[in-house]
Amino acid sequence: METLTIYHNPRCSKSRAALALLQERQVALRIVEYLKDPPSRQQLAALRSQLGLAPAEWIRKGEPAFKAAGLGAHSSEAELLDAMAKDPSLIERPIVVRGARAVVGRPPERVLELLET
């Protein structure tokens, strides 16, 4: 199996749980602590395709930065991606990528979907 990429926040219990599930299965992983090494706007656009979800479905609306940026239901996909590129704390976590597919690990067991195939 190819190496999976996990966009990980070690301070998040869901992210730690997803990482543990993958490590227990001895999956080859590339761990990206996205708050220290944030994805570019281009990488976020690629994640949008891999997830098959609109950015509104994987942006953290409860973060203070969401309201501070003036974001809301009216915001376009481009505005949401731009905001996540500017402030990676807005990115839902964890996101795990395998090839052309990705999932948001909420609940953490969702990451196991990428192991099936």
Side-chain angles (χ1 to χ4, degrees):
M1 178 183 291
E2 71 266 30
T3 300
L4 276 64
T5 298
I6 181 169
Y7 289 90
H8 176 62
N9 179 348
R11 294 182 56 190
C12 171
S13 63
K14 301 288 188 208
S15 193
R16 289 192 311 268
L19 177 62
L21 284 171
L22 294 169
Q23 289 174 327
E24 287 168 6
R25 287 157 179 79
Q26 301 179 341
V27 173
L29 289 171
R30 181 172 79 95
I31 301 169
V32 177
E33 288 190 31
Y34 67 91
L35 294 177
K36 292 180 182 176
D37 184 18
S40 68
R41 171 63 167 76
Q42 184 177 6
Q43 289 170 311
L44 290 168
L47 278 174
R48 189 252 182 266
S49 295
Q50 291 165 309
L51 288 164
L53 298 173
E57 296 177 85
W58 50 283
I59 191 167
R60 296 178 58 85
K61 296 174 185 81
E63 289 293 319
F66 185 84
K67 289 183 179 147
L71 301 171
H74 64 280
S75 299
S76 69
E77 286 197 7
E79 290 171 321
L80 296 176
L81 290 172
D82 289 345
M84 287 189 277
K86 184 177 178 182
D87 187 345
S89 72
L90 292 171
I91 301 169
E92 187 60 89
R93 59 195 182 242
I95 294 175
V96 179
V97 180
R98 178 182 180 194
R101 293 179 48 218
V103 296
V104 176
R106 291 195 170 257
E109 295 76 16
R110 289 232 32 236
V111 302
L112 300 178
E113 294 173 16
L114 293 175
L115 304 183
E116 302 165 359
T117 59

